[in-house]
DNA sequence: CGAAAACCATGACAAATGTCATGTTTTCTA
DNA sequence: TAGAAAACATGACATTTGTCATGGTTTTCG
């Protein structure tokens, strides 16, 4: 199979994923500007959008698929900061702080992603105070989320963090079932460990325990949440 | 001794700490607006500016002194997110994301701090795109810093993190000496542990080791860095 | 398809770190 | 300034978590 990525045609104006994105309220003329030099490409699993330490040239807008954003440690272990999906965009943080990328982004599930050059993005941003304000609000919110993650990493046990992570994934990727929800994202145990901030083996062991305790079930690669209340208790939320 | 805080007179326009702050480039008329309903107060050690979970009513601008910003865990342990000092301001993150405070702020060293009501701050912010942009850049930078902290907390040992923390404190609070630098901030072992994200006893033990190994010396409550290179090695920077 | 690679699972063990107990020193404050 | 409280220091020990080894299972890809 060829490894070449195929270019595809995606119009911002008609983009299904835009509704839930920060671009939702932009005027058509602004969308025109964004589309002008945009290039859209399909990515396969494990392809990397950008690397930590390199210079941002624009932003990536996810039309479909899932992407992990992570920092690599000196020991070769990744710490996943967050997972982005359709409607999210990536790389604007470094762009706006005028720094090199602080993290790398790699595709988890096959994705269609548009790249918008820096200049076009900034043009729209600066001609559009409302949009700017909205983005500011989003960044401030993200900062709060990151601070919460930091505190939980420091204060909670691995078991608690894994339970909390499963619940968080359920919120974002959960698909309704009868009394249970399947988490619709393909994550290796290693990736899960790199979200939680622990060793792969530890995650495997704890998943086995959660399974024995009927809190979750494993459906192929995916996790099914059987007893969310018990998981909440494990996560020691607001305990 | 009275616990009452004394009101003091501080003019933004004449503020010595403004030069290094985000307010540095504001026009006099904007400073006037900020000053209009401002109230400035001196705080003693251990007084709290605001509590996690409460509603932000404005921003705090530090004229002098030092303040720790932290999240409290369910176990009663604090995780210190950062330490603010003169020129920094606090609370704008939650203000802009329109959320409750995500952290608490408590005085470490006697401080003079001005409070600027939300409406005045927002008025200046929205009438001043350049200032808004500067703040956006700052928030994006902070987000990057927080992500780095998260990754290091997850990937480095306590020993490495303590070494890195001492070096970081030296950068910010170091006072030049002959071949050594005293870190000019009074931190209890407990606070230091809450920055590093570990138990107090562990910090005490490691400090003793660093002292035996001639990397640091303890001058009263303050830490003196004797061998920064060795500390850098301990911290495993870019190793 | 079939071999190789990647991934998952589990046991055994080691290392790092936290917790508890105790005593000393420093700081606070009545 | 004396007594109480807080902070510091250290030992002993428990617990958590990571690491290494091994084998089974699934996925990938020529």
């Amino acid at each position: 199979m060829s490894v070449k990525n195929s270019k595809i045609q995606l119009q911002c104006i008609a983009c299904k994923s835009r509704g839930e994105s920060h671009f939702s309220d932009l005027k058509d003329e602004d969308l025109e500007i964004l589309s002008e030099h945009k290039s859209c490409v399909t990515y396969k699993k494990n392809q990397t959008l950008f690397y930590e330490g390199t210079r941002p040239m624009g932003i990536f807008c996810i039309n479909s698929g899932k992407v992990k954003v992570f920092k690599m440690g000196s020991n070769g272990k990744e710490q996943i900061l967050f997972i982005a999906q359709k409607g999210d965009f990536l790389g604007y943080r470094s762009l706006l702080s005028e720094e090199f990328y602080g993290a790398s982004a790699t595709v988890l599930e096959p994705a269609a992603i548009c790249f918008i050059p820096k200049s076009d993005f900034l043009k729209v941003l600066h001609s559009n105070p409302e949009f700017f304000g909205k983005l500011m609000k989003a960044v401030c919110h993200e900062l709060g989320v990151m601070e919460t993650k930091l505190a939980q990493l420091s204060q909670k046990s691995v078991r608690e963090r894994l339970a909390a992570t499963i619940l968080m994934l359920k919120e974002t990727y959960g698909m309704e079932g009868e009394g249970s929800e399947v988490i619709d994202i393909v994550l290796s145990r290693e990736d899960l460990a790199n979200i939680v901030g622990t060793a792969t083996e530890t995650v495997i062991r704890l998943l086995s325990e959660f399974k024995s305790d009927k809190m979750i079930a494993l459906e192929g690669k995916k996790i099914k949440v059987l007893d969310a209340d018990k998981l909440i208790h494990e996560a020691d939320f607001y305990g």
Side-chain angles (χ1 to χ4, degrees), chain A:
Chain A
M1 189 202 295
S2 164
V3 188
K4 204 178 5 168
N5 296 342
S6 42
K7 284 214 173 191
I8 53 174
Q9 286 298 327
L10 288 173
Q11 292 303 322
C12 293
I13 293 182
C15 181
K16 290 282 187 189
S17 299
R18 188 167 58 85
E20 307 136 56
S21 85
H22 293 131
F23 287 151
S24 59
D25 297 334
L26 284 187
K27 289 166 292 182
D28 284 2
E29 57 187 274
D30 285 326
L31 295 176
E32 280 299 333
I33 297 176
L34 292 176
S35 281
E36 207 167 336
H37 306 103
K38 174 165 67 75
S39 57
C40 303
V41 173
T42 60
Y43 290 85
K44 301 181 188 45
K45 187 175 165 67
N46 288 324
Q47 290 191 305
T48 292
L49 299 183
F50 54 81
Y51 290 93
E52 191 174 346
T54 63
R55 183 186 301 279
M57 308 295 282
I59 66 159
F60 294 85
C61 192
I62 304 180
N63 178 265
S64 66
K66 299 190 177 70
V67 177
K68 65 175 171 181
V69 177
F70 62 95
K71 286 176 92 81
M72 188 70 84
S74 54
N75 49 11
K77 248 181 50 181
E78 300 174 359
Q79 174 61 41
I80 295 180
L81 301 172
F82 60 92
I83 293 173
Q85 59 172 340
K86 72 165 187 263
D88 293 337
F89 48 90
L90 295 177
Y92 62 98
R93 207 273 299 154
S94 301
L95 203 66
L96 294 175
S97 66
E98 299 175 53
E99 297 166 309
F100 292 145
Y101 282 122
S104 305
T106 297
V107 171
L108 283 177
E109 293 181 15
I113 297 171
C114 300
F115 176 81
I116 297 166
K118 176 174 171 173
S119 58
D120 291 340
F121 176 71
L122 291 180
K123 195 187 294 175
V124 170
L125 189 67
H126 287 124
S127 67
N128 213 319
E130 212 162 299
F131 177 46
F132 202 148
K134 200 167 167 182
L135 202 59
M136 171 69 113
K137 184 173 171 179
V139 176
C140 286
H141 174 75
E142 276 178 53
L143 183 52
V145 170
M146 206 53 71
E147 290 174 351
T148 301
K149 283 187 186 174
L150 184 87
Q152 302 218 338
L153 185 56
S154 154
Q155 293 171 338
K156 286 177 176 292
S157 69
V158 174
R159 189 184 179 88
E160 290 169 327
R161 268 146 47 207
L162 178 60
T165 299
I166 292 172
L167 289 167
M168 180 270 288
L169 290 171
K170 177 171 100 56
E171 284 309 305
T172 314
Y173 304 104
M175 288 170 59
E176 285 299 338
E178 12 179 298
S180 68
E181 275 188 64
V182 173
I183 296 174
D184 185 33
I185 181 174
V186 177
L187 272 183
S188 68
R189 300 288 186 261
E190 187 177 358
D191 281 331
L192 191 50
N194 291 338
I195 296 173
V196 173
T198 187
T200 306
E201 293 92 329
T202 304
V203 159
I204 291 173
R205 269 182 254 275
L206 289 172
L207 283 180
S208 299
E209 287 184 34
F210 286 178
K211 191 176 156 190
S212 308
D213 295 347
K214 311 277 188 228
M215 286 185 274
I216 63 170
L218 301 176
E219 305 221 320
K221 281 236 165 211
K222 293 180 180 170
I223 297 172
K224 186 181 196 173
V225 175
L226 299 178
D227 191 341
D229 290 342
K230 210 163 167 186
L231 272 178
I232 290 171
H233 185 252
E234 285 291 341
D236 187 33
F237 272 145
Y238 311 57

mmCIF file of all heavy atoms in Angstrom, chain A residues 159-184:
data_model
loop_
_atom_site.group_PDB
_atom_site.id
_atom_site.type_symbol
_atom_site.label_atom_id
_atom_site.label_comp_id
_atom_site.label_asym_id
_atom_site.label_seq_id
_atom_site.Cartn_x
_atom_site.Cartn_y
_atom_site.Cartn_z
ATOM 1 N N ARG A 159 -4.406 4.374 40.075
ATOM 2 C CA ARG A 159 -5.736 3.770 40.003
ATOM 3 C C ARG A 159 -6.821 4.831 39.846
ATOM 4 O O ARG A 159 -7.700 4.729 39.004
ATOM 5 C CB ARG A 159 -5.973 2.946 41.274
ATOM 6 C CG ARG A 159 -7.207 2.094 41.242
ATOM 7 C CD ARG A 159 -7.404 1.395 42.581
ATOM 8 N NE ARG A 159 -8.605 0.583 42.573
ATOM 9 C CZ ARG A 159 -8.654 -0.671 42.167
ATOM 10 N NH1 ARG A 159 -7.562 -1.259 41.728
ATOM 11 N NH2 ARG A 159 -9.782 -1.335 42.167
ATOM 12 N N GLU A 160 -6.728 5.851 40.673
ATOM 13 C CA GLU A 160 -7.700 6.949 40.597
ATOM 14 C C GLU A 160 -7.639 7.649 39.242
ATOM 15 O O GLU A 160 -8.663 7.962 38.627
ATOM 16 C CB GLU A 160 -7.443 7.965 41.714
ATOM 17 C CG GLU A 160 -7.790 7.448 43.101
ATOM 18 C CD GLU A 160 -7.289 8.363 44.213
ATOM 19 O OE1 GLU A 160 -6.222 9.004 44.056
ATOM 20 O OE2 GLU A 160 -7.948 8.431 45.256
ATOM 21 N N ARG A 161 -6.433 7.873 38.787
ATOM 22 C CA ARG A 161 -6.273 8.586 37.515
ATOM 23 C C ARG A 161 -6.789 7.761 36.346
ATOM 24 O O ARG A 161 -7.384 8.296 35.410
ATOM 25 C CB ARG A 161 -4.808 8.949 37.300
ATOM 26 C CG ARG A 161 -4.463 10.327 37.836
ATOM 27 C CD ARG A 161 -3.061 10.400 38.374
ATOM 28 N NE ARG A 161 -2.058 9.837 37.510
ATOM 29 C CZ ARG A 161 -0.900 9.324 37.922
ATOM 30 N NH1 ARG A 161 -0.625 9.311 39.216
ATOM 31 N NH2 ARG A 161 -0.041 8.846 37.081
ATOM 32 N N LEU A 162 -6.560 6.453 36.397
ATOM 33 C CA LEU A 162 -7.062 5.618 35.306
ATOM 34 C C LEU A 162 -8.591 5.651 35.279
ATOM 35 O O LEU A 162 -9.208 5.809 34.219
ATOM 36 C CB LEU A 162 -6.560 4.178 35.435
ATOM 37 C CG LEU A 162 -7.081 3.239 34.345
ATOM 38 C CD1 LEU A 162 -6.671 3.702 32.956
ATOM 39 C CD2 LEU A 162 -6.607 1.811 34.578
ATOM 40 N N ALA A 163 -9.187 5.523 36.451
ATOM 41 C CA ALA A 163 -10.656 5.588 36.529
ATOM 42 C C ALA A 163 -11.145 6.926 35.984
ATOM 43 O O ALA A 163 -12.085 6.983 35.183
ATOM 44 C CB ALA A 163 -11.115 5.388 37.973
ATOM 45 N N ALA A 164 -10.495 7.996 36.389
ATOM 46 C CA ALA A 164 -10.902 9.324 35.932
ATOM 47 C C ALA A 164 -10.725 9.461 34.422
ATOM 48 O O ALA A 164 -11.559 10.053 33.734
ATOM 49 C CB ALA A 164 -10.093 10.399 36.655
ATOM 50 N N THR A 165 -9.650 8.873 33.901
ATOM 51 C CA THR A 165 -9.385 8.954 32.468
ATOM 52 C C THR A 165 -10.449 8.213 31.674
ATOM 53 O O THR A 165 -10.945 8.714 30.658
ATOM 54 C CB THR A 165 -7.992 8.384 32.141
ATOM 55 O OG1 THR A 165 -7.010 9.162 32.822
ATOM 56 C CG2 THR A 165 -7.726 8.413 30.641
ATOM 57 N N ILE A 166 -10.825 7.035 32.167
ATOM 58 C CA ILE A 166 -11.870 6.275 31.485
ATOM 59 C C ILE A 166 -13.177 7.071 31.471
ATOM 60 O O ILE A 166 -13.856 7.156 30.447
ATOM 61 C CB ILE A 166 -12.076 4.908 32.176
ATOM 62 C CG1 ILE A 166 -10.840 4.037 31.957
ATOM 63 C CG2 ILE A 166 -13.318 4.208 31.627
ATOM 64 C CD1 ILE A 166 -10.846 2.741 32.747
ATOM 65 N N LEU A 167 -13.483 7.698 32.591
ATOM 66 C CA LEU A 167 -14.707 8.502 32.653
ATOM 67 C C LEU A 167 -14.643 9.689 31.706
ATOM 68 O O LEU A 167 -15.613 10.019 31.022
ATOM 69 C CB LEU A 167 -14.941 8.984 34.083
ATOM 70 C CG LEU A 167 -15.360 7.897 35.067
ATOM 71 C CD1 LEU A 167 -15.265 8.390 36.501
ATOM 72 C CD2 LEU A 167 -16.780 7.433 34.756
ATOM 73 N N MET A 168 -13.467 10.303 31.653
ATOM 74 C CA MET A 168 -13.296 11.444 30.757
ATOM 75 C C MET A 168 -13.462 11.003 29.302
ATOM 76 O O MET A 168 -14.147 11.667 28.512
ATOM 77 C CB MET A 168 -11.904 12.047 31.000
ATOM 78 C CG MET A 168 -11.546 13.239 30.150
ATOM 79 S SD MET A 168 -10.730 12.739 28.604
ATOM 80 C CE MET A 168 -9.125 12.215 29.205
ATOM 81 N N LEU A 169 -12.874 9.868 28.969
ATOM 82 C CA LEU A 169 -12.996 9.352 27.605
ATOM 83 C C LEU A 169 -14.456 9.017 27.283
ATOM 84 O O LEU A 169 -14.931 9.247 26.170
ATOM 85 C CB LEU A 169 -12.117 8.109 27.422
ATOM 86 C CG LEU A 169 -10.611 8.352 27.414
ATOM 87 C CD1 LEU A 169 -9.847 7.038 27.448
ATOM 88 C CD2 LEU A 169 -10.192 9.175 26.193
ATOM 89 N N LYS A 170 -15.144 8.506 28.297
ATOM 90 C CA LYS A 170 -16.562 8.195 28.106
ATOM 91 C C LYS A 170 -17.351 9.471 27.782
ATOM 92 O O LYS A 170 -18.197 9.477 26.876
ATOM 93 C CB LYS A 170 -17.139 7.525 29.355
ATOM 94 C CG LYS A 170 -18.634 7.242 29.251
ATOM 95 C CD LYS A 170 -19.118 6.400 30.400
ATOM 96 C CE LYS A 170 -19.811 7.134 31.503
ATOM 97 N NZ LYS A 170 -20.937 7.961 31.345
ATOM 98 N N GLU A 171 -17.045 10.535 28.497
ATOM 99 C CA GLU A 171 -17.725 11.798 28.230
ATOM 100 C C GLU A 171 -17.572 12.218 26.774
ATOM 101 O O GLU A 171 -18.505 12.652 26.118
ATOM 102 C CB GLU A 171 -17.167 12.916 29.122
ATOM 103 C CG GLU A 171 -17.641 12.870 30.549
ATOM 104 C CD GLU A 171 -19.160 12.777 30.644
ATOM 105 O OE1 GLU A 171 -19.846 13.630 30.072
ATOM 106 O OE2 GLU A 171 -19.647 11.814 31.274
ATOM 107 N N THR A 172 -16.342 12.069 26.297
ATOM 108 C CA THR A 172 -16.040 12.592 24.963
ATOM 109 C C THR A 172 -16.367 11.608 23.851
ATOM 110 O O THR A 172 -16.840 11.996 22.785
ATOM 111 C CB THR A 172 -14.542 12.950 24.875
ATOM 112 O OG1 THR A 172 -14.174 13.687 26.040
ATOM 113 C CG2 THR A 172 -14.267 13.788 23.632
ATOM 114 N N TYR A 173 -16.110 10.328 24.096
ATOM 115 C CA TYR A 173 -16.232 9.358 23.011
ATOM 116 C C TYR A 173 -17.273 8.275 23.283
ATOM 117 O O TYR A 173 -17.371 7.311 22.530
ATOM 118 C CB TYR A 173 -14.872 8.706 22.747
ATOM 119 C CG TYR A 173 -13.798 9.707 22.453
ATOM 120 C CD1 TYR A 173 -12.845 10.036 23.417
ATOM 121 C CD2 TYR A 173 -13.740 10.360 21.218
ATOM 122 C CE1 TYR A 173 -11.866 10.979 23.154
ATOM 123 C CE2 TYR A 173 -12.772 11.313 20.956
ATOM 124 C CZ TYR A 173 -11.831 11.617 21.933
ATOM 125 O OH TYR A 173 -10.874 12.549 21.680
ATOM 126 N N GLY A 174 -18.012 8.442 24.385
ATOM 127 C CA GLY A 174 -18.991 7.425 24.761
ATOM 128 C C GLY A 174 -20.138 7.325 23.764
ATOM 129 O O GLY A 174 -20.627 8.339 23.276
ATOM 130 N N MET A 175 -20.522 6.090 23.433
ATOM 131 C CA MET A 175 -21.687 5.896 22.579
ATOM 132 C C MET A 175 -22.763 5.166 23.370
ATOM 133 O O MET A 175 -22.534 4.085 23.911
ATOM 134 C CB MET A 175 -21.320 5.071 21.350
ATOM 135 C CG MET A 175 -20.464 5.864 20.365
ATOM 136 S SD MET A 175 -19.812 4.805 19.079
ATOM 137 C CE MET A 175 -21.309 4.167 18.369
ATOM 138 N N GLU A 176 -23.917 5.769 23.396
ATOM 139 C CA GLU A 176 -25.030 5.255 24.198
ATOM 140 C C GLU A 176 -25.309 3.776 23.945
ATOM 141 O O GLU A 176 -25.355 3.320 22.807
ATOM 142 C CB GLU A 176 -26.303 6.049 23.884
ATOM 143 C CG GLU A 176 -26.329 7.433 24.483
ATOM 144 C CD GLU A 176 -26.249 7.424 26.005
ATOM 145 O OE1 GLU A 176 -26.595 6.388 26.602
ATOM 146 O OE2 GLU A 176 -25.824 8.439 26.574
ATOM 147 N N GLY A 177 -25.504 3.041 24.997
ATOM 148 C CA GLY A 177 -25.973 1.667 24.904
ATOM 149 C C GLY A 177 -27.018 1.492 25.984
ATOM 150 O O GLY A 177 -27.409 2.463 26.633
ATOM 151 N N GLU A 178 -27.444 0.294 26.230
ATOM 152 C CA GLU A 178 -28.450 0.041 27.257
ATOM 153 C C GLU A 178 -27.760 -0.189 28.591
ATOM 154 O O GLU A 178 -27.268 -1.276 28.875
ATOM 155 C CB GLU A 178 -29.269 -1.187 26.872
ATOM 156 C CG GLU A 178 -28.622 -1.922 25.724
ATOM 157 C CD GLU A 178 -29.337 -3.164 25.286
ATOM 158 O OE1 GLU A 178 -29.434 -4.080 26.109
ATOM 159 O OE2 GLU A 178 -29.742 -3.224 24.110
ATOM 160 N N GLY A 179 -27.706 0.854 29.385
ATOM 161 C CA GLY A 179 -27.089 0.737 30.691
ATOM 162 C C GLY A 179 -25.572 0.705 30.657
ATOM 163 O O GLY A 179 -24.924 0.579 31.679
ATOM 164 N N SER A 180 -25.021 0.779 29.480
ATOM 165 C CA SER A 180 -23.565 0.804 29.371
ATOM 166 C C SER A 180 -23.181 1.635 28.154
ATOM 167 O O SER A 180 -23.981 1.846 27.260
ATOM 168 C CB SER A 180 -23.011 -0.609 29.219
ATOM 169 O OG SER A 180 -23.385 -1.136 27.972
ATOM 170 N N GLU A 181 -21.941 2.083 28.147
ATOM 171 C CA GLU A 181 -21.481 2.888 27.025
ATOM 172 C C GLU A 181 -20.144 2.380 26.515
ATOM 173 O O GLU A 181 -19.234 2.138 27.298
ATOM 174 C CB GLU A 181 -21.328 4.351 27.460
ATOM 175 C CG GLU A 181 -22.611 5.140 27.379
ATOM 176 C CD GLU A 181 -22.367 6.613 27.639
ATOM 177 O OE1 GLU A 181 -21.665 7.252 26.845
ATOM 178 O OE2 GLU A 181 -22.868 7.115 28.656
ATOM 179 N N VAL A 182 -20.047 2.243 25.218
ATOM 180 C CA VAL A 182 -18.771 1.863 24.624
ATOM 181 C C VAL A 182 -17.996 3.131 24.305
ATOM 182 O O VAL A 182 -18.541 4.096 23.765
ATOM 183 C CB VAL A 182 -18.985 1.052 23.332
ATOM 184 C CG1 VAL A 182 -17.655 0.812 22.640
ATOM 185 C CG2 VAL A 182 -19.655 -0.276 23.640
ATOM 186 N N ILE A 183 -16.729 3.138 24.669
ATOM 187 C CA ILE A 183 -15.880 4.292 24.380
ATOM 188 C C ILE A 183 -15.302 4.119 22.986
ATOM 189 O O ILE A 183 -14.459 3.243 22.748
ATOM 190 C CB ILE A 183 -14.767 4.416 25.433
ATOM 191 C CG1 ILE A 183 -15.392 4.702 26.798
ATOM 192 C CG2 ILE A 183 -13.807 5.530 25.051
ATOM 193 C CD1 ILE A 183 -14.413 4.705 27.937
ATOM 194 N N ASP A 184 -15.766 4.982 22.099
ATOM 195 C CA ASP A 184 -15.482 4.802 20.687
ATOM 196 C C ASP A 184 -14.160 5.453 20.275
ATOM 197 O O ASP A 184 -14.120 6.415 19.519
ATOM 198 C CB ASP A 184 -16.622 5.374 19.854
ATOM 199 C CG ASP A 184 -16.430 5.089 18.377
ATOM 200 O OD1 ASP A 184 -15.869 4.023 18.057
ATOM 201 O OD2 ASP A 184 -16.809 5.938 17.550
#
